[in-house]
Amino acid sequence: QVQLVESGGGLVQAGGSLRLSCAASERTFSVYRIGWFRQVPGKERDFVAAVSWSFGNTDYADSVKGRFTISKDNAKNTVYLQMNSLKPEDTAVYYCAAHRHYSSHYKYPGMYAYWGQGTQVTVSS
């Protein structure tokens, strides 16, 4: 069982920065990839970024490329999402998620078996 706990959300003005953290339980050796998703009320959960745990390969949604950076600290079992140049449209609940096996469909939330509780990010204009 992989347990994930997000932190770092909050209220920030447009143009500001936040860093989200996703702390994973000790059994991360069985995790293939960790992703970040976001969701606003009434809409689907959207892919933001992902990183493979062993190889460090990263990918981003077009809407956040050049502004967000995903990284990991294997020693701390933690994945980070550094968010710069934030826009009001980045406002959402952000979730981290994990899956155990290779899949090319890692942008789809249904591929992830484990989820954190979410952290609210609000960007004011």
Side-chain angles (χ1 to χ4, degrees), residues 1-4 23-31 53 74-77:
Q1 186 77 12
V2 179
Q3 296 179 337
L4 304 171
S25 59
E26 293 183 0
R27 296 179 62 85
T28 52
F29 67 87
S30 64
V31 170
W53 191 260
N74 290 48
K76 295 183 178 180
N77 292 331

Side-chain angles (χ1 to χ4, degrees), residues 20-22 34 36 51 53 70-72 77-81:
L20 305 183
S21 299
C22 173
I34 288 185
W36 284 98
V51 61
W53 191 260
I70 189 170
S71 62
K72 61 183 180 71
N77 292 331
T78 300
V79 171
Y80 303 98
L81 185 67

Side-chain angles (χ1 to χ4, degrees), residues 36-38 46-50 59-70 81-87 89-92 94 107:
W36 284 98
F37 291 79
R38 64 187 182 186
D46 292 331
F47 171 77
V48 175
D59 197 9
Y60 299 89
D62 288 342
S63 59
V64 306
K65 281 181 181 177
R67 300 189 298 122
F68 291 12
T69 303
I70 189 170
L81 185 67
Q82 178 66 44
M83 305 185 296
N84 299 329
S85 301
L86 283 162
K87 304 174 181 180
E89 51 263 44
D90 294 318
T91 295
Y94 283 70
K107 295 184 179 180

